[in-house]
Structure formats: structure tokens, C-alpha cells
Amino acid sequence: MGTRPSVGGMALATRTDRPPSLIRSAWRSTVGKKAVMAATGLVMLAYLVAHMMGNLKVFFGAGEFNHYGHWIRTIGEPFLHREWFLWTARVALSASVVLHGVAAYQLSRRDLAARPAKYAHRPRRKSYATRTMRWGGVILALFVVWHILDLTTLDVNPNAQEGRPYENLVASFDRWYVSAFYIAAMLALGLHIRHGFWSAAQTLGAGSPRRDRALKTVANALAALLTCGFIAVPLGVLTGVVS
Amino acid sequence: MSEYLHYAVGEPLVDAAAPGGPIAERWDRRRFEARLVNPANRRKHTVIVVGTGLAGGAAGATLAEQGYRVVQFCYQDSPRRAHSIAAQGGINAAKNYRNDGDSVHRLFYDTVKGGDFRARESNVHRLAQISVEIIDQCVAQGVPFAREYGGLLDTRSFGGVQVSRTFYARGQTGQQLLLGAYQALSRQIDAGGVEMHTRTEMLDLIVVDGRARGIVARDLVTGRVDTYLADAVVLASGGYGNVFHLSTNAKNSNATAVWRAHRRGAHFANPCFTQIHPTCIPRSGDHQSKLTLMSESLRNDGRIWVPKARGDTRPPAEIPEDERDYYLERIYPAFGNLVPRDIASRAAKNVCDEGRGVGPGGQGVYLDFADAIARMGREAVEARYGNLFEMYERITAEDPYEVPMRIYPAIHYTMGGLWVDYDLQTTVPGLFAIGEANFSDHGANRLGASALMQGLADGYFVLPATINDYLARHPHDEVPHDHPAAAGAVAEVTARLRRLLENDGDRTPESFHRELGELLWDECGMSRTESGLRKALGRIPELREEFWRRIKVPGSGEELNQSLEKANRIVDYLELAELMCLDALHRSESCGGHFREESQTPDGEAARRDEEFAYATAWEFTAPGAAPVLHKEDLRFEYVHPTQRSYA
Amino acid sequence: MNLTLRIWRQRDAAGPGAMTTYEVTGISEDMSFLEMLDHLNEELILAGDDPVAFDHDCREGICGACGMVINGRAHGPERTTTCQLHMRHFRDGETIDVEPWRAAAFPVVKDLVVDRSAFDRVIASGGYVSAPTGSAPEAHATPVPKPVADLAFEHAECIGCGACVAACPNGSAMLFTAAKVVHLNVLPQGAPERASRVLGMVDAMDAQSFGGCTNTGECATACPKGIPLTAISTMNREYLRATVKGGVRRGT
């Protein structure tokens, strides 16, 4: 209850000051930050769908897969220079990852601070979704780092041949523990998408009683599709279907 | 006790602010004649508002909008929780949207008649005029009233009137109206026009040179007792129904603000006019802490009955039709189950007194929907009353679709309150009382859906117009915080709190409250007799003496101490109860909610005695335990001529 | 019934607190939960102990004053307010844990009493229609379609008890804030301030150390008045709409 000066009829006037910057104030608010998470999450989700479809080409042999890998670098030619599209996509994705991660970190810090004391009587089921999102997100972040070192920069790849993604991939997944880590990460991804897609819809204001069931169905379908699609590759390598 | 009964009759009280002329022009005339405060000067005036219900919330917001500096108080943790929030049914307004013959004059007429000719005509007419503006105001605030498919406001009929003028928001009209006022108030709090003190309770009034200049209030969290000074004080602290211990009031609603004002010079009017609501859920045992109202609308389709034989303990389903007594239909064939509140309540008491009551302790009657379910089908009943049935089942664990409901009357509203003139100013200049805290508009009985109307009329429209006149006429000097009147009031308050805390007793505040409430309910409740009232007047001073001897209050005064709050309120109840009984004893007629067994018609109905009692009583405080002085304000009826009510 | 109660006792805002055990006997199953606590308090007073402080007022489920976490659930096992919860929902001999609302924005005042004034500050930051007394047009000037009026009412039912915040793992006030935003923003009367309202209220909410929303839905499950979870989504939409359209905030 401030003691702001307000004189007579002034209290009646509608006050219409413009804020300095809408983007900045939106980022400062929890709702705006969540919207950034939702939007970047959807960008990454769209990318993952394309990525998974590309991955499945591995089942059609080294030729087709490597050709696909080559094509990615030439998208948009001759209008775009070689790899321009790829780098644009990489920048957009990196920005998404960073924004998503920073927002998640800041919001989580805030959420934990908002509940400093715990209840002595813990209910059986609580914050399942929140916990999966937080820990799942951390696992996925670690996975992405390793994944890039393994198959993009090839720093930790046993084959490490530039321009031979098929061979590199097979070499990597031939190690059972690598495949196991990958599969675990993809399960985390599925759970993350399952809550994240629905949650993003709520955050972006697309939720409504009428659409709720449809949104949950799409979230589950996307989660299942992406998890299965990604896991198919290491399974293929481990079972010798891909070699 | 005998001394208390020997009250003196003082000068008649005249409403000096009341304008003359044709009744429909009086409010305009008063507003024109009232002086105004220059908008630029309003900020220099501070107005204290105690309470944030419909009246207080509306007044605080409106005064701040006008530019006054408002300092407002509520004992709750938020202004949104005032007990207006619990009103269910609706709010009356003479909009005549139904084209069913309603008009300002008809609402005026119905209210004067419903009040059994014990209200002031000018005030009631103003209320009816303003009712129309209230609906406009609330709709503009975003109050989600019930609407029809065409998008226009829906109305329903209520409590024995013949037009459909009650606007409603499902069964939560009070909640929605209060939130509207609370939001308007919040806007002013944010704008700096209102300084809001929550969890702060007024414990005394500061009167300087004969004018109300501030209050003493206690911060309920820290225990700090402070003075707050102003140019005028507005009490919007609600009714005093909790003096009965069990009522439909909120647990912490109390009479301390009005009673302390009374002790500082504000006359108390018609304290014996209390309203008893016929359809409440009966008490289930000694642990009962409050009573819950079931909307009166249930009587539209439910049939009220008790067994014909006394002491019949069979389950209702096993009592055959010809052994049931549908007593309201039998005694009042024309109105049946829809007789007014006071008559329905008394009839229930009578059958229970005959030993024919049902449920625990025989304090209940059946409200049976079996016929309605057979006639309309369960679904139709569910659509109409579903939420009420659910509430009933939650509390009693009985399914009213299968077993008849049990209901019993309970204290619900107090028509009496601080005496105010047409400007809503009490007999202490600068002290105003609005809403249920005053006595002005309902006479001896309030019609359904009129309390919300009155609270908002007072708060939004009447007080903001009339208080201008007082402030304009009395430019005030600043009162220093250490003024002897302020310091004296603080000293009295702290001494009383210390006395409560230091007493080494063996009885809890609750036990005294319960005992006082039971005594009042028995002797000054639904029907009153001279001998009963004399008995109560004998017992109350004893109880008061016992209270101060045996009260035990734990903890200290420098913390949140709910037992101390409670005990301190009971101190005032123990004095107020005595005045209520004295007023009831004095008024040996029956009228409205006040039924004296000595004054009834041959067929047992209330008999008003206009030639002797066509006045409002206004009691002047003299000294603790000493006889008050009675002032009478004569009531003249120029537009509505008194008739005996008949519902047979 | 006889019960064992484990109740959070805390002398004042600064003090430490602890769960303290009490045995109560002779409880009727028709008692409300608060009447059971009244019973305990009467015994504590007579024994010279400090009674348990708890907020309560109307005791008919509408004022929103009462609220405590009973066995880990806001307002206890039934979907209602604590005052409307009856002892018949407990078993004889049961041990019941009673704790205050837990959230950084709701500091404990004493025992089970918390400070919920943060809610008032959220409402004061836009949760109203600016309609000064006397300025209103005729009520029928603007018809409101019944479904819209019903939708507004459904959200206006919020009693401000704080169960949503208490139940939320993040101590978030999104459901409370959203209920008021939806109530006023869907009505034509609320339209002129549609953008400034949601921006102002969300800003105020964030300024009160409430957490953010992670869409767990615990709030709507705990709400005694059944405010729908979709209110939050609608508020998000209103917020983004206001931001994208360059909505004006209320001045500071």
C-alpha cells in the first residue's frame, strides 16, 4: 500500500504510459518466458521430426544415407551458397536451445524459491510432470553435447570420416553402451515431448476444454513416433540390420 | 437489574436532515441543498471507513474516487472476505424489466409494508429510487448477473412480493456484488486514494469536542493499539446477530464497533428488531459453531411438515400421509408454505415446543421434496436446487432426494442498529453508519433480497452525497495524536485488554458466548414474553459479573491472539444483550420480527399497536450497567397507510 | 471418534515451527474440521496452553478465509473448503497431519495462519473494471450473451482461499490470477482494459514471489470452487495477445 500522490480527479484518469520494450518486459515475466520456452520447444520439435525422418534413411543403405547427408549441405543452391541453409538452421536451433535452457533454468530457480518449505506430509503423487521435465531436460542437454561431438564434429567418433555419416554412425552405435545411452536419452525425449507439447499449447494459449483431448492425443503420438523412430537406428545397428 | 429497568424517557428525536416536500423529490432536494466540497480540497479531508462489506467497500471506493483521502479497516485478512459475501438470493431493483407493473413506488410500498410499518418513509423511498442505479453500476463493474438467452438480465420473484424484481448471480449474489465493490476498492488502494488496514479491528471511537474524529484500532497480528484520526468516521461494520452465538453470521462478525460508538454517544435504535430465517440447517450437537442458511427459494417447491403425534421418532418414510401435519398449509391456506419469514419461523418453533419437532433434540421440521420430485421429476428439482441439495448433503450426510430435509429457524439479520438521520449520520456529529450497522430502512422486518440493495445504496450513492455536506460545513483543525480524548480512549482499550489477559479464571470465552446466546435465543428470540425478558434482564448482569470473575484468556496482547479478540467482543455482547432485552420489554406490541406473546390476534398472529408504538426507539447510553435514556422518533405514514398483515 | 493430530505450531512469523502432536477424544462425525479444532482449542485453553491459531470466518465455504493442508492435501480429502469438510471423512484412530499453506508468497503469521495479501496486490493491479460510481450506462445498454455471462461467472466464483498456490509444487498463483483475468476479459464491460489488465496482473503476480506455471494441474484439482485449468491457457493467450498488439500497461 504505497502512499503515491494522487490528487482529486486524477485517480479517475486512465493511465496509458508505454512500457520501454515489450520483448524485454515479456522476457521478464514468467508467462512471457514460458512462451519463449514453448515457441523454442516447438521449433526443436519440428526439427526433430525432420531429423528422425532423415535418420530412417539409414535403413536404405550407405549410398542413400550419405547422399542425404550431402544434400543437407546443398539445400537452396543455387540461390543460397553451399551450407548457408545448414548454418542458418544451426544458428536457429542453437538459439532455441540456449533460450529454452536459460528460460528453463531461470524459471526453475524461481519455482524452487517460491516453495521454500516442504510439507511434512508428502502426498503420494506430486509434480511428476515437473520433475520429468527438469531432469529430462538436463539429460537431453548432456546428450546433445555428446551427440554433436560424436556425429557432427566427430571428435569422439571411432570412425571420424568427414562426409561418411553412415559409416560414422554404424561405428558409434556398434558400441552397446553408446546405443544404451542413446536409447535412454530418446526415452527421456519421449517423456519430455509428451508433457512439453501439451504444456506448450497451454502456454501459447491454445488450450481449451474442447481441444484438450486432441492436444493430449497429438502429444502422445508425437512422443511415441519420435522415440520409436530414433530408437530404430541404434536397434538396427545392434541387430545387424544396419551395418 | 431493577435500576436498569427504570429508564428515563428523554426528548423525542427528530430527523433534522430530512427534507420535506413530495416524497419522490426529497432525495433530489437534499442533494441540491447539501453543501459540496471543492474537488481540489477533498484530498485534505480524511474519512475513516470501518468495514469492507457491501456498504463499506462501496463507500471507500466511491469516496476515494471523489478525491477524499480514505483510511479503511477490516478485521479479515482481506477486504474481499466481509460477510456480505455469503448472501445467496439476490438484490431487488425497481427496473420493471418484466413489465409486470413494478415501479419505484411499488418497491417503496412493499418495503414499508414488509417492515411492518416501523421504517421511515423518506429513507425507504430513496432506497427504492437508488435501487435502479445500483444494477447499472454493478453491471458496469462486470458483476456476472444471471442472463437470459437474449443477453438481457434475468430476474426472479422473491419473498412474498408479486413482481419479479430480484436480480441474481446463481446462489452467490452477495459474493459477486461484494467482489465488484472489492475490486473498485482495490483500484483505489492501488491509486493511493485508500489506505487499507487489514487484520485491524476498531476497538473504540475518538470523540473530540463532541465530534467523531477518529478510532482506536488494534493490529490483530502484532497486537499494537493505535489511534487513527480523521475528519469523519463511517461505520460499516455490519449487524450484531452474533450476540446469539449461533447465527448465520460469520464467526468473527461482531458488534464492538457499533457498541463502542454507542458508548461514546451514538444512540442505538430498535435493538430488539432481529430477523430469524426459517430455512436453516438445524444444529447437530453441542459442538455446533454456526448455522448455515438454505435459500428461502426452497419453500417454493418443498412442503413443510411434522408428525401429528408428539414424540414420534419413526423415520419420515414410515410416517403415513394421514399422520403428518402440513401445518403451514393447514393454518395459512392462502399462502401455505410461502408465508413470510417471521410467520414461518414462529410456526416451526410452536410445533417444536409442542414436542413434535424432528431430528436431534426435536429442534427441526421436515422440508419435503417428495411431491415436487413426483410432479416435476428429479431432474427438474436438481436443475432448480441442485447446489443447495449438495450443500445440505455435505453438512448432514443425508440425501434430500431420498429423505426429507430437516430445517429450523436461525438468527440471520438485525434490522436494529445505530440511529441515523436522513444523511445516515448518527447522534454523534461526524459519525456515520451505513449498511446493516444502521437501523434505517427495514423497519421491524426485512424483505428478502433487500439487504444487498440497502448496503450498496448507502455505500455507493447515499453516504458519498451526504458526507460532503458535513465536511463542507465543518472545516476541521488537526487533532494531535496525543490529544487527551485519543489518549484516554487508548488507555481504556488497553486497560480492558489487560484485564482480560490478567484474569486468572477457569472458563473459556466460548463458554460464556454460548451461555449468553442460549439465554437470548430462549428469551429474546423468536417469541418474547414479559416474564422471559425480565428473567434475561436479571441473568445478564450476573453473567457479566461471572464473566469478569472467571474468564480465562491465554497468551499475550502482543501477538495474534484469537481468544483475546473473542473475549473482547463478548464484553460488548454482554452489554448489548441487555439493551436488546430492555427494548423488547419496552415494546409490548408485536411487529415484524419482534413477537410479544402478550400481543397477538385471536388466531395467534402478531398484533401491532400503532397508536402506542408507531415510533423507533433510540437508546442513549448513560453509564455501564445503568439505565439508558429512551428517545422516540415518531414515524409518520403519509404515503403508505398501516394495515394489519394477513396471510391466512 | 478419537484422533491423533499432528499440527504445525509456529509462534510468529520469525519463529521456528514444528509439528506437534495432540490427542483429541470424543469427536462427533457431524463436526466440521474447524469445529474439531475448536474442540481441541477449548481443551488447550483450559489446560493453560496456547490454542491453535487458524483463519476462518463464514464457515459456509464462501469467504475463503479458512484453509489448511490436511494430510498433504489443500483443504483435505474432499473437494471443498476446510470449513465444509466433516469428520465423517476420517476414520476413528486416524493420525491427521495439519499444516499451513506453504509458499514463499504466503509467509506464516502464526500456526496455520498465513499472509495472503499478495492476492490483494494482484487484484489491485488490474483485476477490476474502471467504472467509477455514477458513470454506469443503463444495465441493458449492452446485452451479454448467456454463454459469455456463464463463462464469466464460472471464473468469478474464485474465493481467493489460496489452495491453488498451496497445492502447486511451484507456489504459483496462475489459477487465481487467471480466474479474474478470464472473468473480466470475456465480458464486454471488461474489454477496454483487456490488455492492460492481463499485463498488469501478471506483472504484479511475478512481483510477489509466486512461482511460474509448469502445467501440472494440481491447482485445479485442489480448487474448492472448480475453477477450470483452462483459465490459465486463456490468460496466457490474453497475455500474448496483449504483448503482440503492443498493449499498454497501467502506469506505475
Side-chain angles (χ1 to χ4, degrees):
Chain A
M1 324 285 121
T3 46
R4 239 168 279 137
S6 150
V7 181
M10 287 293 282
L12 302 186
T14 311
R15 295 171 298 179
T16 53
D17 313 70
R18 276 194 84 84
S21 151
L22 285 167
I23 293 180
R24 233 177 62 204
S25 51
W27 174 255
R28 273 207 311 263
S29 86
T30 54
V31 175
K33 211 167 269 183
K34 281 287 287 189
V36 169
M37 279 189 74
T40 52
L42 290 177
V43 167
M44 291 188 280
L45 182 62
Y47 164 76
L48 285 175
V49 172
H51 185 13
M52 181 208 70
M53 281 167 34
N55 279 9
L56 292 180
K57 287 178 180 290
V58 84
F59 290 102
F60 302 100
E64 184 158 347
F65 191 74
N66 287 345
H67 176 250
Y68 160 72
H70 178 74
W71 171 79
I72 288 173
R73 283 159 175 78
T74 60
I75 295 173
E77 283 185 29
F79 177 64
L80 298 177
H81 184 69
R82 184 181 159 82
E83 291 196 354
W84 275 18
F85 173 84
L86 181 65
W87 278 103
T88 309
R90 280 175 176 169
V91 168
L93 272 176
S94 307
S96 293
V97 170
V98 169
L99 284 172
H100 197 82
V102 170
Y105 173 75
Q106 292 182 350
L107 284 168
S108 297
R109 286 275 306 253
R110 188 189 167 94
D111 292 349
L112 293 172
R115 208 29 199 291
K118 302 286 168 235
Y119 290 112
H121 189 115
R122 299 286 177 88
R124 285 142 290 168
R125 162 200 67 85
K126 198 103 200 221
S127 65
Y128 151 80
T130 307
R131 260 208 302 275
T132 348
M133 295 308 277
R134 284 191 192 137
W135 289 110
V138 171
I139 290 170
L140 287 172
L142 293 173
F143 167 77
V144 167
V145 172
W146 175 81
H147 189 60
I148 290 171
L149 290 175
D150 184 21
L151 294 172
T152 307
T153 67
L154 306 177
D155 285 321
V156 297
N157 191 279
N159 196 43
Q161 276 180 287
E162 189 94 28
R164 306 298 296 267
Y166 183 90
E167 289 75 10
N168 294 342
L169 179 147
V170 171
S172 186
F173 282 142
D174 253 339
R175 296 166 297 175
W176 68 268
Y177 52 92
V178 170
S179 287
F181 176 44
Y182 186 93
I183 289 168
M186 289 310 105
L187 290 173
L189 176 72
L191 291 174
H192 202 81
I193 289 171
R194 185 164 173 253
H195 179 72
F197 179 78
W198 178 82
S199 183
Q202 305 305 311
T203 302
L204 295 175
S208 80
R210 221 159 16 89
R211 275 195 295 266
D212 199 56
R213 177 170 294 198
L215 284 171
K216 282 195 168 134
T217 309
V218 172
N220 288 340
L222 275 172
L225 189 76
L226 284 167
T227 309
C228 295
F230 279 120
I231 286 178
V233 177
L235 287 183
V237 173
L238 287 177
T239 54
V241 176
V242 176
S243 59
Chain B
M1 166 206 162
S2 57
E3 193 207 336
Y4 191 77
L5 287 171
H6 296 125
Y7 56 86
V9 178
E11 289 291 303
L13 204 52
V14 178
D15 177 3
I23 196 159
E25 293 169 19
R26 288 179 192 167
W27 179 227
D28 268 355
R29 175 180 294 213
R30 179 69 193 123
R31 277 189 292 179
F32 180 70
E33 287 171 356
R35 285 216 207 150
L36 298 176
V37 177
N38 180 332
N41 287 337
R42 291 185 193 151
R43 189 67 201 161
K44 297 176 193 157
H45 288 286
T46 300
V47 178
I48 283 175
V49 180
V50 180
T52 58
L54 286 183
T62 306
L63 290 172
E65 282 162 9
Q66 291 185 349
Y68 291 110
R69 181 172 173 269
V70 175
V71 182
Q72 194 148 2
F73 299 82
C74 67
Y75 70 72
Q76 297 91 344
D77 69 325
S78 162
R80 68 179 293 149
R81 306 201 200 284
H83 196 54
S84 304
I85 205 155
Q88 298 173 354
I91 177 165
N92 289 329
K95 281 284 196 186
N96 193 29
Y97 283 155
R98 296 276 174 184
N99 198 23
D100 55 3
D102 199 8
S103 63
V104 166
H105 197 84
R106 186 176 295 281
L107 175 53
F108 158 66
Y109 175 89
D110 287 346
T111 307
V112 171
K113 183 183 169 207
D116 217 0
F117 305 96
R118 290 294 173 263
R120 213 185 270 154
E121 278 191 334
S122 299
N123 286 53
V124 177
H125 196 276
R126 174 177 65 188
L127 177 66
Q129 283 173 285
I130 291 175
S131 70
V132 177
E133 293 172 73
I134 294 173
I135 301 301
D136 298 343
Q137 180 62 34
C138 295
V139 166
Q141 288 174 340
V143 170
F145 283 118
R147 290 189 182 256
E148 293 177 330
Y149 279 98
L152 301 178
L153 294 165
D154 194 14
T155 55
R156 57 186 175 200
S157 49
F158 217 84
V161 296
Q162 289 154 308
V163 291
S164 179
R165 65 159 78 99
T166 306
F167 296 79
Y168 66 100
R170 287 193 211 160
Q172 284 143 262
T173 319
Q175 179 196 26
Q176 295 309 316
L177 296 174
L178 182 69
L179 292 181
Y182 158 71
Q183 288 162 203
L185 183 67
S186 297
R187 177 167 165 262
Q188 293 305 318
I189 293 171
D190 188 59
V194 177
E195 180 185 312
M196 184 70 223
H197 296 267
T198 58
R199 291 198 199 270
T200 308
E201 185 170 22
M202 168 177 164
L203 296 184
D204 211 341
L205 180 73
I206 296 171
V207 180
V208 177
D209 300 332
R211 301 188 174 282
R213 294 303 306 270
I215 66 168
V216 177
R218 178 171 180 268
D219 181 323
L220 300 180
V221 175
T222 63
R224 206 183 136 89
V225 175
D226 262 322
T227 54
Y228 298 87
L229 300 169
D231 299 316
V233 176
V234 179
L235 298 186
S237 52
Y240 50 90
N242 260 352
V243 67
F244 287 91
H245 181 247
L246 287 183
S247 79
T248 64
N249 285 11
K251 281 298 282 176
N252 299 301
S253 297
N254 67 83
T256 291
V258 288
W259 191 254
R260 303 320 288 180
H262 172 61
R263 289 184 56 133
R264 296 272 174 206
H267 295 0
F268 208 113
N270 298 334
C272 78
F273 287 170
T274 51
Q275 182 167 71
I276 295 180
H277 200 289
T279 51
C280 298
I281 300 174
R283 49 190 284 182
S284 62
D286 287 338
H287 56 265
Q288 193 87 25
S289 60
K290 77 152 270 162
L291 296 166
T292 302
L293 182 78
M294 302 288 287
S295 170
E296 195 165 7
S297 62
L298 289 169
R299 286 199 282 144
N300 284 320
D301 290 300
R303 296 181 69 197
I304 295 175
W305 64 276
V306 289
K308 279 185 175 164
R310 54 181 66 194
D312 188 340
T313 53
R314 286 175 294 175
E318 289 172 22
I319 302 179
E321 229 13 70
D322 60 351
E323 290 177 40
R324 299 177 177 190
D325 179 13
Y326 294 89
Y327 59 90
L328 286 178
E329 297 169 25
R330 172 171 60 78
I331 308 172
Y332 308 101
F335 279 72
N337 294 299
L338 287 173
V339 292
R341 288 178 177 178
D342 50 343
I343 292 176
S345 297
R346 218 155 38 235
K349 178 185 178 348
N350 290 341
V351 295
C352 291
D353 287 351
E354 287 165 19
R356 298 194 289 143
V358 299
Q363 297 290 298
V365 298
Y366 289 124
L367 176 61
D368 198 336
F369 284 84
D371 284 0
I373 291 169
R375 189 177 73 244
M376 307 190 280
R378 184 184 159 125
E379 271 171 33
V381 171
E382 205 170 318
R384 231 173 259 189
Y385 305 114
N387 57 338
L388 294 169
F389 278 36
E390 217 179 280
M391 182 169 86
Y392 180 84
E393 187 173 0
R394 188 181 292 290
I395 292 173
T396 63
E398 289 175 0
D399 179 3
Y401 294 104
E402 303 293 331
V403 187
M405 281 184 182
R406 286 174 297 109
I407 55 164
Y408 198 66
I411 293 288
H412 177 55
Y413 186 87
T414 53
M415 282 75 68
L418 293 183
W419 185 90
V420 289
D421 63 13
Y422 190 73
D423 283 356
L424 305 184
Q425 187 166 212
T426 67
T427 49
V428 176
L431 178 69
F432 294 78
I434 60 176
E436 196 181 343
N438 73 27
F439 88 115
S440 72
D441 296 339
H442 305 297
N445 177 51
R446 180 176 64 73
L447 286 181
S450 282
L452 304 184
M453 173 172 67
Q454 185 227 337
L456 289 180
D458 287 1
Y460 281 131
F461 296 103
V462 182
L463 177 90
T466 59
I467 202 170
N468 277 316
D469 185 65
Y470 174 79
L471 294 170
R473 283 177 199 277
H474 300 99
H476 289 294
D477 304 332
E478 195 117 321
V479 175
H481 273 267
D482 55 358
H483 187 283
V490 170
E492 280 181 48
V493 164
T494 43
R496 180 161 104 169
L497 296 174
R498 197 175 322 116
R499 190 173 165 202
L500 287 168
L501 286 162
E502 285 173 358
N503 197 58
D504 185 23
D506 59 353
R507 279 187 67 177
T508 62
E510 175 75 11
S511 75
F512 280 104
H513 194 187
R514 192 179 292 275
E515 187 176 346
L516 175 68
E518 281 171 8
L519 176 69
L520 269 194
W521 177 246
D522 288 344
E523 310 302 347
C524 196
M526 267 185 286
S527 77
R528 298 144 181 199
T529 62
E530 179 172 348
S531 63
L533 291 165
R534 283 185 187 279
K535 182 181 145 204
L537 282 163
R539 178 70 189 126
I540 291 167
E542 290 169 16
L543 194 59
R544 202 159 49 212
E545 184 275 326
E546 187 179 345
F547 176 88
W548 284 113
R549 196 158 38 81
R550 296 183 61 187
I551 188 67
K552 183 180 177 74
V553 180
S556 78
E558 286 78 46
E559 59 176 336
L560 178 66
N561 187 338
Q562 293 170 323
S563 305
L564 178 63
E565 294 166 27
K566 185 169 188 119
N568 193 45
R569 292 164 189 159
I570 295 168
V571 173
D572 294 322
Y573 291 145
L574 284 167
E575 295 179 10
L576 168 60
E578 199 173 24
L579 187 65
M580 289 169 67
C581 292
L582 183 67
D583 190 48
L585 182 66
H586 160 79
R587 193 175 284 277
S588 58
E589 66 162 352
S590 296
C591 61
H594 170 65
F595 185 77
R596 280 288 299 266
E597 289 181 17
E598 299 89 341
S599 184
Q600 46 185 311
T601 61
D603 42 358
E605 297 304 332
R608 223 176 48 235
R609 301 211 303 272
D610 291 332
E611 59 294 348
E612 292 168 80
F613 288 103
Y615 58 79
T617 55
W619 298 92
E620 179 187 353
F621 183 81
T622 54
V629 176
L630 170 63
H631 299 272
K632 297 175 183 175
E633 184 202 341
D634 282 325
L635 299 170
R636 280 189 307 281
F637 294 92
E638 301 167 68
Y639 293 86
V640 187
H641 293 290
T643 51
Q644 201 73 37
R645 297 189 309 170
S646 168
Y647 295 93
Chain C
M1 298 166 83
N2 300 328
L3 298 164
T4 304
L5 300 169
R6 296 199 308 162
I7 302 177
W8 181 262
R9 301 303 308 265
Q10 181 173 336
R11 200 162 173 76
D12 53 32
M19 297 296 278
T20 308
T21 305
Y22 301 94
E23 304 288 338
V24 286
T25 55
I27 299 299
S28 152
E29 60 175 26
D30 287 329
M31 282 182 180
S32 70
F33 199 84
L34 299 187
E35 284 167 347
M36 183 273 292
L37 290 180
D38 289 342
H39 178 87
L40 168 68
N41 279 345
E42 287 289 287
E43 291 182 350
L44 289 178
I45 293 172
L46 290 177
D49 289 332
D50 200 24
V52 180
F54 59 91
D55 265 325
H56 66 102
D57 207 13
C58 78
R59 296 210 179 184
E60 45 190 279
I62 193 76
C63 76
C66 67
M68 44 193 86
V69 172
I70 301 166
N71 285 342
R73 296 174 70 176
H75 291 305
E78 295 283 295
R79 189 182 182 135
T80 184
T81 54
T82 306
C83 63
Q84 293 288 291
L85 172 67
H86 287 76
M87 296 313 293
R88 62 182 78 95
H89 299 291
F90 297 89
R91 293 182 321 273
D92 186 27
E94 192 173 340
T95 298
I96 304 174
D97 288 334
V98 189
E99 300 172 72
W101 287 167
R102 293 287 190 199
F106 289 171
V108 172
V109 173
K110 181 178 181 180
D111 298 340
L112 303 172
V113 176
V114 298
D115 177 356
R116 287 170 291 194
S117 55
F119 270 5
D120 291 323
R121 291 189 285 277
V122 171
I123 295 293
S125 304
Y128 48 73
V129 173
S130 295
T133 307
S135 64
E138 153 61 37
H140 270 178
T142 312
V144 179
K146 184 170 163 57
V148 172
D150 288 347
L151 183 70
F153 180 86
E154 190 188 358
H155 291 84
E157 279 194 272
C158 168
I159 57 174
C161 64
C164 48
V165 176
C168 176
N170 310 325
S172 171
M174 284 286 275
L175 192 68
F176 169 80
T177 310
K180 189 49 65 191
V181 167
V182 177
H183 160 210
L184 295 176
N185 275 24
V186 299
L187 287 173
Q189 287 81 8
E193 294 167 299
R194 188 172 163 187
S196 61
R197 175 175 303 117
V198 66
L199 294 174
M201 291 180 75
V202 168
D203 283 355
M205 179 185 85
D206 286 344
Q208 304 295 329
S209 60
F210 290 112
C213 178
T214 49
N215 294 309
T216 65
E218 298 289 345
C219 52
T221 309
C223 177
K225 294 292 151 182
I227 304 295
L229 185 61
T230 48
I232 292 178
S233 187
T234 310
M235 177 167 81
N236 288 333
R237 186 161 66 236
E238 289 291 311
Y239 182 87
L240 295 175
R241 179 183 173 279
T243 305
V244 169
K245 290 196 165 186
V248 286
R249 281 181 156 75
R250 298 154 56 261
T252 45

